[in-house]
Amino acid sequence: MATRTLWHHARLATLVGGADDGWGLIDDGALLTEGERLVWAGPLRERPPSAREAASVDLGGLLVTPGLIDCHTHLVYGGHRAAEAEMRLNGASYEAIARAGGGIRSTVAATRAASEAELFTLAARRAQALMDEGVTTLEIKSGYGLSMEAEARSLRVARQIGSDRQVDVRTTFLGAHALPPEFDGRPDDYIAAVCEWLPALHAQGLVDAVDAFCENIGFSPAQTRRVFEAARALGLPVKLHAEQLSDQGGAALAASFGALSCDHLEHLSAEGIAAIKAAGTVAVLLPGAFYMLRETKLPPIAALREAGVPMAVSTDHNPGTAPGLSLLLAAHMACTFFRLTPLEAVRGITVHAARALGLRDRGQLAAGQRADFVAWDLDHPNELSYWFGHNPCRRVVAGGQERA
C-alpha cells in the first residue's frame, strides 16, 4: 500500500479556484498524502478519520504552496553567450547578431560539439538551481541541436533529468528553432527534415509536445503550419514562440491547432487575443527575455486580463536572451515590468503554468492533485513575487516524497 502521511502545522495557500481571497489561505492547515497524490487538504481540526493512521510530519508553521512549475525552458545546451550579451550592451540588436551568424547558431555549434554526458552535467546543474527554489515540474525544450542526432541527444538528456532527479520533466521538440548552417538558403527543405524527424523522435518516447519559433528571424506562419500538421498527425499538442519581435499572426495560427500555449506575446494583436481565448490557449509571459533584451513594448496584459486569458509566467532559461535560473525572480519581474498582481504572478507559476503544459493534476492543493508542494519561510504568498536575491524555500515535496 502507498504510504499515507499527514503534513501539518502549516499555513496553506491552496490556490483553489473560487476562494474568496484568491489565495485559498488556510491557517493551521494540513495535507494528507497517499503515495504520489493529495487525498485531502484543509484545516487540521477537520482532518478525515483516515489521517489517524498516517505518518505525521510537522511543517513548523511554514507557508505551504503548490510546487512551482517552470513551463518554458531551454536547459539543454553547450557553451554560453556572454560575449553576445556584451555586444548587445554595446549597441548591436538581437536581429543583427542573429543575421551575422551569432545567436542561436553559436549555441548550436557548442551543443553539437558536446557529448551527451557533458550536456547532462550542464543541464542537471541548471535544473537543480530551479529545483532548489521550489520547482517540481519543468518543461525542457530541444532546439539547439537542429539535426536528427543532436535533437534526439538533447531530448534524451531532458528525459534523464526527469528520471534521475526529483522533478517531473515534460519535453518539447523545438526543431523549428533556427536554420542550421547546412540548410542555408533552404528553409523549406529544413522544415521538411524537421517533419521527417518528428515521427522517429516520438516513437522513441522523447516528445511530449511540439514548438516552433514563428518570427521574422525564425520561420514563417506557412512553415510553422507544416510542423504543426506533422504534430497533429501524431496526436501531439503544440505550443508556439509567438509575436515576440513582430506580429506574424502566429498566435491565431497556433490557436487554430488548439495550442497549449503561446509564449512571449509582446506584439500580440486584438485578433490574436480573441483567437487564443476561444481556443483555451494559455498566454505564457517571459519577462526575463524582455529584461535582457531591454524591450520597451509590453505584452497586452490589460487586454489579456479583460479577455480572461490565463497567464502563466516562466524563466525562459536560455543562453542568449534569458540566462536566469530563478522562477521567483521571473514572477517578481512579471509584477514589476508587466504589472501583474502578486496573485496573478503566483498563479502564473503554479495553476496556469500547469495548464500551459496540458496538466490538470497539479498547481493547486486539493484532493486528487499530485502531491507537489513547497514550504516557505514566509508569512503570505504575496511575498513570493516581492523578495528577490534570496531563497525562502525550506522544504520541497515532489510526488509525495520530500527532497533531501
Side-chain angles (χ1 to χ4, degrees), residues 269-311:
S269 67
E271 293 77 13
I273 292 173
I276 64 175
K277 166 64 175 176
T281 298
V282 176
V284 178
L285 308 174
L286 305 173
F290 178 91
Y291 162 78
M292 188 77 172
L293 292 173
R294 296 184 294 173
E295 294 286 356
T296 57
K297 185 172 179 58
L298 295 165
I301 301 300
L304 287 165
R305 183 184 290 133
E306 183 178 358
V309 174
M311 294 181 284

mmCIF file of all heavy atoms in Angstrom, residues 269-311:
data_model
loop_
_atom_site.group_PDB
_atom_site.id
_atom_site.type_symbol
_atom_site.label_atom_id
_atom_site.label_comp_id
_atom_site.label_asym_id
_atom_site.label_seq_id
_atom_site.Cartn_x
_atom_site.Cartn_y
_atom_site.Cartn_z
ATOM 1 N N SER A 269 -1.795 40.887 -31.144
ATOM 2 C CA SER A 269 -2.882 41.762 -31.586
ATOM 3 C C SER A 269 -4.193 41.405 -30.899
ATOM 4 O O SER A 269 -4.321 40.361 -30.252
ATOM 5 C CB SER A 269 -3.070 41.621 -33.097
ATOM 6 O OG SER A 269 -3.546 40.306 -33.410
ATOM 7 N N ALA A 270 -5.186 42.281 -31.084
ATOM 8 C CA ALA A 270 -6.527 42.007 -30.555
ATOM 9 C C ALA A 270 -7.093 40.733 -31.174
ATOM 10 O O ALA A 270 -7.764 39.944 -30.491
ATOM 11 C CB ALA A 270 -7.447 43.192 -30.830
ATOM 12 N N GLU A 271 -6.816 40.515 -32.452
ATOM 13 C CA GLU A 271 -7.290 39.302 -33.124
ATOM 14 C C GLU A 271 -6.623 38.065 -32.531
ATOM 15 O O GLU A 271 -7.266 37.021 -32.356
ATOM 16 C CB GLU A 271 -7.001 39.382 -34.622
ATOM 17 C CG GLU A 271 -7.791 40.443 -35.371
ATOM 18 C CD GLU A 271 -7.256 41.863 -35.155
ATOM 19 O OE1 GLU A 271 -6.123 42.018 -34.631
ATOM 20 O OE2 GLU A 271 -7.983 42.811 -35.522
ATOM 21 N N GLY A 272 -5.334 38.190 -32.206
ATOM 22 C CA GLY A 272 -4.631 37.077 -31.580
ATOM 23 C C GLY A 272 -5.188 36.756 -30.211
ATOM 24 O O GLY A 272 -5.333 35.584 -29.839
ATOM 25 N N ILE A 273 -5.511 37.787 -29.443
ATOM 26 C CA ILE A 273 -6.105 37.577 -28.123
ATOM 27 C C ILE A 273 -7.435 36.842 -28.246
ATOM 28 O O ILE A 273 -7.694 35.880 -27.508
ATOM 29 C CB ILE A 273 -6.293 38.915 -27.396
ATOM 30 C CG1 ILE A 273 -4.939 39.529 -27.043
ATOM 31 C CG2 ILE A 273 -7.137 38.734 -26.128
ATOM 32 C CD1 ILE A 273 -5.019 40.933 -26.483
ATOM 33 N N ALA A 274 -8.262 37.281 -29.171
ATOM 34 C CA ALA A 274 -9.564 36.626 -29.356
ATOM 35 C C ALA A 274 -9.390 35.168 -29.751
ATOM 36 O O ALA A 274 -10.135 34.294 -29.281
ATOM 37 C CB ALA A 274 -10.366 37.372 -30.421
ATOM 38 N N ALA A 275 -8.390 34.888 -30.579
ATOM 39 C CA ALA A 275 -8.171 33.520 -31.045
ATOM 40 C C ALA A 275 -7.716 32.613 -29.910
ATOM 41 O O ALA A 275 -8.230 31.498 -29.751
ATOM 42 C CB ALA A 275 -7.144 33.512 -32.177
ATOM 43 N N ILE A 276 -6.751 33.064 -29.099
ATOM 44 C CA ILE A 276 -6.272 32.186 -28.026
ATOM 45 C C ILE A 276 -7.311 32.056 -26.912
ATOM 46 O O ILE A 276 -7.395 31.016 -26.271
ATOM 47 C CB ILE A 276 -4.894 32.625 -27.479
ATOM 48 C CG1 ILE A 276 -4.938 34.002 -26.818
ATOM 49 C CG2 ILE A 276 -3.850 32.584 -28.583
ATOM 50 C CD1 ILE A 276 -3.612 34.393 -26.175
ATOM 51 N N LYS A 277 -8.112 33.087 -26.731
ATOM 52 C CA LYS A 277 -9.212 32.984 -25.770
ATOM 53 C C LYS A 277 -10.188 31.895 -26.205
ATOM 54 O O LYS A 277 -10.581 31.032 -25.397
ATOM 55 C CB LYS A 277 -9.927 34.331 -25.657
ATOM 56 C CG LYS A 277 -11.280 34.285 -24.954
ATOM 57 C CD LYS A 277 -11.164 33.864 -23.498
ATOM 58 C CE LYS A 277 -12.528 33.942 -22.812
ATOM 59 N NZ LYS A 277 -12.456 33.452 -21.408
ATOM 60 N N ALA A 278 -10.574 31.922 -27.464
ATOM 61 C CA ALA A 278 -11.534 30.944 -27.970
ATOM 62 C C ALA A 278 -10.977 29.524 -27.915
ATOM 63 O O ALA A 278 -11.722 28.567 -27.701
ATOM 64 C CB ALA A 278 -11.937 31.301 -29.404
ATOM 65 N N ALA A 279 -9.662 29.393 -28.089
ATOM 66 C CA ALA A 279 -9.040 28.069 -28.114
ATOM 67 C C ALA A 279 -8.699 27.545 -26.728
ATOM 68 O O ALA A 279 -8.327 26.375 -26.582
ATOM 69 C CB ALA A 279 -7.775 28.117 -28.963
ATOM 70 N N GLY A 280 -8.799 28.400 -25.700
ATOM 71 C CA GLY A 280 -8.392 27.988 -24.365
ATOM 72 C C GLY A 280 -6.891 27.891 -24.204
ATOM 73 O O GLY A 280 -6.388 27.173 -23.336
ATOM 74 N N THR A 281 -6.172 28.638 -25.032
ATOM 75 C CA THR A 281 -4.715 28.631 -25.019
ATOM 76 C C THR A 281 -4.192 29.553 -23.923
ATOM 77 O O THR A 281 -4.725 30.643 -23.710
ATOM 78 C CB THR A 281 -4.178 29.084 -26.392
ATOM 79 O OG1 THR A 281 -4.623 28.147 -27.394
ATOM 80 C CG2 THR A 281 -2.672 29.176 -26.419
ATOM 81 N N VAL A 282 -3.130 29.126 -23.245
ATOM 82 C CA VAL A 282 -2.527 29.927 -22.183
ATOM 83 C C VAL A 282 -1.520 30.903 -22.770
ATOM 84 O O VAL A 282 -0.750 30.559 -23.673
ATOM 85 C CB VAL A 282 -1.827 29.017 -21.150
ATOM 86 C CG1 VAL A 282 -1.103 29.836 -20.083
ATOM 87 C CG2 VAL A 282 -2.840 28.075 -20.511
ATOM 88 N N ALA A 283 -1.527 32.138 -22.275
ATOM 89 C CA ALA A 283 -0.506 33.127 -22.629
ATOM 90 C C ALA A 283 0.645 32.990 -21.646
ATOM 91 O O ALA A 283 0.460 33.183 -20.439
ATOM 92 C CB ALA A 283 -1.092 34.535 -22.567
ATOM 93 N N VAL A 284 1.827 32.638 -22.135
ATOM 94 C CA VAL A 284 2.993 32.486 -21.257
ATOM 95 C C VAL A 284 3.868 33.736 -21.383
ATOM 96 O O VAL A 284 4.362 34.064 -22.465
ATOM 97 C CB VAL A 284 3.802 31.229 -21.607
ATOM 98 C CG1 VAL A 284 5.045 31.134 -20.710
ATOM 99 C CG2 VAL A 284 2.938 29.974 -21.435
ATOM 100 N N LEU A 285 4.034 34.419 -20.273
ATOM 101 C CA LEU A 285 4.808 35.657 -20.218
ATOM 102 C C LEU A 285 6.240 35.346 -19.814
ATOM 103 O O LEU A 285 6.476 34.581 -18.874
ATOM 104 C CB LEU A 285 4.173 36.625 -19.232
ATOM 105 C CG LEU A 285 2.682 36.900 -19.445
ATOM 106 C CD1 LEU A 285 2.140 37.773 -18.315
ATOM 107 C CD2 LEU A 285 2.429 37.555 -20.792
ATOM 108 N N LEU A 286 7.194 35.968 -20.511
ATOM 109 C CA LEU A 286 8.605 35.673 -20.303
ATOM 110 C C LEU A 286 9.370 36.968 -20.031
ATOM 111 O O LEU A 286 10.074 37.503 -20.892
ATOM 112 C CB LEU A 286 9.166 34.943 -21.526
ATOM 113 C CG LEU A 286 8.395 33.666 -21.903
ATOM 114 C CD1 LEU A 286 8.897 33.100 -23.216
ATOM 115 C CD2 LEU A 286 8.494 32.615 -20.798
ATOM 116 N N PRO A 287 9.240 37.503 -18.817
ATOM 117 C CA PRO A 287 9.828 38.809 -18.518
ATOM 118 C C PRO A 287 11.352 38.804 -18.503
ATOM 119 O O PRO A 287 11.969 39.858 -18.658
ATOM 120 C CB PRO A 287 9.261 39.141 -17.135
ATOM 121 C CG PRO A 287 8.926 37.818 -16.536
ATOM 122 C CD PRO A 287 8.468 36.966 -17.677
ATOM 123 N N GLY A 288 11.980 37.636 -18.340
ATOM 124 C CA GLY A 288 13.432 37.587 -18.358
ATOM 125 C C GLY A 288 14.002 38.002 -19.688
ATOM 126 O O GLY A 288 14.999 38.755 -19.763
ATOM 127 N N ALA A 289 13.398 37.534 -20.788
ATOM 128 C CA ALA A 289 13.858 37.919 -22.123
ATOM 129 C C ALA A 289 13.547 39.391 -22.389
ATOM 130 O O ALA A 289 14.350 40.108 -23.001
ATOM 131 C CB ALA A 289 13.204 37.035 -23.180
ATOM 132 N N PHE A 290 12.383 39.843 -21.954
ATOM 133 C CA PHE A 290 12.019 41.258 -22.079
ATOM 134 C C PHE A 290 13.080 42.128 -21.409
ATOM 135 O O PHE A 290 13.536 43.133 -21.961
ATOM 136 C CB PHE A 290 10.647 41.468 -21.436
ATOM 137 C CG PHE A 290 10.156 42.885 -21.436
ATOM 138 C CD1 PHE A 290 9.387 43.366 -22.478
ATOM 139 C CD2 PHE A 290 10.444 43.736 -20.381
ATOM 140 C CE1 PHE A 290 8.913 44.681 -22.477
ATOM 141 C CE2 PHE A 290 9.988 45.040 -20.364
ATOM 142 C CZ PHE A 290 9.218 45.514 -21.420
ATOM 143 N N TYR A 291 13.503 41.719 -20.225
ATOM 144 C CA TYR A 291 14.507 42.452 -19.457
ATOM 145 C C TYR A 291 15.877 42.398 -20.127
ATOM 146 O O TYR A 291 16.544 43.427 -20.316
ATOM 147 C CB TYR A 291 14.563 41.851 -18.053
ATOM 148 C CG TYR A 291 15.785 42.170 -17.246
ATOM 149 C CD1 TYR A 291 15.927 43.405 -16.610
ATOM 150 C CD2 TYR A 291 16.802 41.231 -17.084
ATOM 151 C CE1 TYR A 291 17.047 43.692 -15.850
ATOM 152 C CE2 TYR A 291 17.922 41.505 -16.327
ATOM 153 C CZ TYR A 291 18.044 42.736 -15.707
ATOM 154 O OH TYR A 291 19.152 43.017 -14.956
ATOM 155 N N MET A 292 16.300 41.201 -20.521
ATOM 156 C CA MET A 292 17.643 41.027 -21.077
ATOM 157 C C MET A 292 17.802 41.761 -22.411
ATOM 158 O O MET A 292 18.857 42.324 -22.707
ATOM 159 C CB MET A 292 17.915 39.537 -21.272
ATOM 160 C CG MET A 292 19.334 39.193 -21.667
ATOM 161 S SD MET A 292 20.444 39.291 -20.263
ATOM 162 C CE MET A 292 21.941 38.611 -20.999
ATOM 163 N N LEU A 293 16.736 41.780 -23.199
ATOM 164 C CA LEU A 293 16.777 42.460 -24.497
ATOM 165 C C LEU A 293 16.461 43.947 -24.387
ATOM 166 O O LEU A 293 16.465 44.656 -25.387
ATOM 167 C CB LEU A 293 15.788 41.794 -25.465
ATOM 168 C CG LEU A 293 16.154 40.372 -25.894
ATOM 169 C CD1 LEU A 293 15.026 39.751 -26.697
ATOM 170 C CD2 LEU A 293 17.452 40.355 -26.681
ATOM 171 N N ARG A 294 16.145 44.391 -23.174
ATOM 172 C CA ARG A 294 15.789 45.787 -22.923
ATOM 173 C C ARG A 294 14.660 46.243 -23.851
ATOM 174 O O ARG A 294 14.690 47.318 -24.437
ATOM 175 C CB ARG A 294 17.026 46.689 -23.080
ATOM 176 C CG ARG A 294 18.104 46.387 -22.052
ATOM 177 C CD ARG A 294 19.273 47.349 -22.151
ATOM 178 N NE ARG A 294 19.987 47.185 -23.417
ATOM 179 C CZ ARG A 294 20.960 47.985 -23.832
ATOM 180 N NH1 ARG A 294 21.332 49.019 -23.096
ATOM 181 N NH2 ARG A 294 21.565 47.764 -24.979
ATOM 182 N N GLU A 295 13.655 45.385 -23.950
ATOM 183 C CA GLU A 295 12.491 45.708 -24.774
ATOM 184 C C GLU A 295 11.674 46.830 -24.116
ATOM 185 O O GLU A 295 11.750 47.050 -22.902
ATOM 186 C CB GLU A 295 11.616 44.469 -24.957
ATOM 187 C CG GLU A 295 12.256 43.365 -25.760
ATOM 188 C CD GLU A 295 12.327 43.656 -27.250
ATOM 189 O OE1 GLU A 295 11.792 44.710 -27.678
ATOM 190 O OE2 GLU A 295 12.910 42.847 -27.983
ATOM 191 N N THR A 296 10.902 47.490 -24.920
ATOM 192 C CA THR A 296 10.045 48.557 -24.400
ATOM 193 C C THR A 296 8.565 48.298 -24.673
ATOM 194 O O THR A 296 7.717 48.904 -24.028
ATOM 195 C CB THR A 296 10.437 49.911 -25.021
ATOM 196 O OG1 THR A 296 10.367 49.821 -26.447
ATOM 197 C CG2 THR A 296 11.856 50.304 -24.607
ATOM 198 N N LYS A 297 8.265 47.424 -25.626
ATOM 199 C CA LYS A 297 6.869 47.124 -25.933
ATOM 200 C C LYS A 297 6.384 46.005 -25.019
ATOM 201 O O LYS A 297 6.880 44.884 -25.066
ATOM 202 C CB LYS A 297 6.694 46.712 -27.391
ATOM 203 C CG LYS A 297 5.231 46.508 -27.781
ATOM 204 C CD LYS A 297 5.061 46.295 -29.264
ATOM 205 C CE LYS A 297 3.595 46.057 -29.631
ATOM 206 N NZ LYS A 297 2.717 47.163 -29.227
ATOM 207 N N LEU A 298 5.406 46.321 -24.192
ATOM 208 C CA LEU A 298 4.886 45.362 -23.226
ATOM 209 C C LEU A 298 3.865 44.423 -23.862
ATOM 210 O O LEU A 298 3.141 44.820 -24.784
ATOM 211 C CB LEU A 298 4.205 46.103 -22.072
ATOM 212 C CG LEU A 298 5.090 46.980 -21.200
ATOM 213 C CD1 LEU A 298 4.235 47.914 -20.357
ATOM 214 C CD2 LEU A 298 5.966 46.116 -20.311
ATOM 215 N N PRO A 299 3.766 43.203 -23.384
ATOM 216 C CA PRO A 299 2.630 42.368 -23.786
ATOM 217 C C PRO A 299 1.331 43.057 -23.384
ATOM 218 O O PRO A 299 1.309 43.813 -22.407
ATOM 219 C CB PRO A 299 2.838 41.079 -23.001
ATOM 220 C CG PRO A 299 4.255 41.094 -22.547
ATOM 221 C CD PRO A 299 4.625 42.528 -22.394
ATOM 222 N N PRO A 300 0.246 42.797 -24.104
ATOM 223 C CA PRO A 300 -1.033 43.468 -23.802
ATOM 224 C C PRO A 300 -1.724 42.867 -22.581
ATOM 225 O O PRO A 300 -2.768 42.214 -22.686
ATOM 226 C CB PRO A 300 -1.837 43.259 -25.088
ATOM 227 C CG PRO A 300 -1.330 41.958 -25.626
ATOM 228 C CD PRO A 300 0.138 41.937 -25.301
ATOM 229 N N ILE A 301 -1.142 43.104 -21.417
ATOM 230 C CA ILE A 301 -1.622 42.457 -20.193
ATOM 231 C C ILE A 301 -3.069 42.827 -19.885
ATOM 232 O O ILE A 301 -3.891 41.964 -19.554
ATOM 233 C CB ILE A 301 -0.717 42.835 -19.002
ATOM 234 C CG1 ILE A 301 0.731 42.410 -19.271
ATOM 235 C CG2 ILE A 301 -1.248 42.217 -17.710
ATOM 236 C CD1 ILE A 301 0.923 40.941 -19.483
ATOM 237 N N ALA A 302 -3.387 44.113 -19.956
ATOM 238 C CA ALA A 302 -4.748 44.539 -19.610
ATOM 239 C C ALA A 302 -5.776 43.874 -20.519
ATOM 240 O O ALA A 302 -6.837 43.438 -20.057
ATOM 241 C CB ALA A 302 -4.856 46.055 -19.687
ATOM 242 N N ALA A 303 -5.459 43.774 -21.808
ATOM 243 C CA ALA A 303 -6.393 43.154 -22.744
ATOM 244 C C ALA A 303 -6.506 41.650 -22.496
ATOM 245 O O ALA A 303 -7.591 41.078 -22.587
ATOM 246 C CB ALA A 303 -5.944 43.421 -24.180
ATOM 247 N N LEU A 304 -5.394 40.997 -22.180
ATOM 248 C CA LEU A 304 -5.440 39.575 -21.841
ATOM 249 C C LEU A 304 -6.260 39.352 -20.576
ATOM 250 O O LEU A 304 -7.077 38.423 -20.497
ATOM 251 C CB LEU A 304 -4.017 39.038 -21.642
ATOM 252 C CG LEU A 304 -3.173 38.865 -22.907
ATOM 253 C CD1 LEU A 304 -1.699 38.678 -22.547
ATOM 254 C CD2 LEU A 304 -3.672 37.690 -23.737
ATOM 255 N N ARG A 305 -6.063 40.217 -19.604
ATOM 256 C CA ARG A 305 -6.807 40.124 -18.341
ATOM 257 C C ARG A 305 -8.303 40.314 -18.594
ATOM 258 O O ARG A 305 -9.142 39.550 -18.098
ATOM 259 C CB ARG A 305 -6.276 41.162 -17.369
ATOM 260 C CG ARG A 305 -6.899 41.130 -15.987
ATOM 261 C CD ARG A 305 -6.351 42.269 -15.152
ATOM 262 N NE ARG A 305 -4.955 42.092 -14.779
ATOM 263 C CZ ARG A 305 -4.018 43.029 -14.892
ATOM 264 N NH1 ARG A 305 -4.320 44.225 -15.386
ATOM 265 N NH2 ARG A 305 -2.784 42.780 -14.492
ATOM 266 N N GLU A 306 -8.638 41.331 -19.369
ATOM 267 C CA GLU A 306 -10.052 41.620 -19.656
ATOM 268 C C GLU A 306 -10.711 40.466 -20.411
ATOM 269 O O GLU A 306 -11.878 40.142 -20.175
ATOM 270 C CB GLU A 306 -10.164 42.905 -20.468
ATOM 271 C CG GLU A 306 -11.595 43.327 -20.742
ATOM 272 C CD GLU A 306 -11.684 44.646 -21.505
ATOM 273 O OE1 GLU A 306 -10.635 45.256 -21.796
ATOM 274 O OE2 GLU A 306 -12.819 45.062 -21.818
ATOM 275 N N ALA A 307 -9.939 39.824 -21.292
ATOM 276 C CA ALA A 307 -10.489 38.709 -22.062
ATOM 277 C C ALA A 307 -10.572 37.426 -21.250
ATOM 278 O O ALA A 307 -11.191 36.447 -21.690
ATOM 279 C CB ALA A 307 -9.623 38.473 -23.298
ATOM 280 N N GLY A 308 -9.947 37.419 -20.074
ATOM 281 C CA GLY A 308 -9.973 36.213 -19.255
ATOM 282 C C GLY A 308 -9.022 35.133 -19.733
ATOM 283 O O GLY A 308 -9.224 33.945 -19.441
ATOM 284 N N VAL A 309 -7.979 35.528 -20.467
ATOM 285 C CA VAL A 309 -6.981 34.555 -20.923
ATOM 286 C C VAL A 309 -6.063 34.218 -19.748
ATOM 287 O O VAL A 309 -5.491 35.119 -19.137
ATOM 288 C CB VAL A 309 -6.153 35.119 -22.096
ATOM 289 C CG1 VAL A 309 -5.010 34.167 -22.463
ATOM 290 C CG2 VAL A 309 -7.047 35.367 -23.305
ATOM 291 N N PRO A 310 -5.892 32.954 -19.409
ATOM 292 C CA PRO A 310 -4.983 32.604 -18.314
ATOM 293 C C PRO A 310 -3.542 32.961 -18.677
ATOM 294 O O PRO A 310 -3.097 32.699 -19.800
ATOM 295 C CB PRO A 310 -5.158 31.093 -18.156
ATOM 296 C CG PRO A 310 -5.719 30.624 -19.454
ATOM 297 C CD PRO A 310 -6.535 31.766 -19.995
ATOM 298 N N MET A 311 -2.827 33.560 -17.735
ATOM 299 C CA MET A 311 -1.455 33.998 -17.974
ATOM 300 C C MET A 311 -0.499 33.228 -17.085
ATOM 301 O O MET A 311 -0.605 33.279 -15.857
ATOM 302 C CB MET A 311 -1.328 35.503 -17.721
ATOM 303 C CG MET A 311 -2.109 36.366 -18.701
ATOM 304 S SD MET A 311 -1.936 38.157 -18.395
ATOM 305 C CE MET A 311 -3.009 38.358 -16.962
#
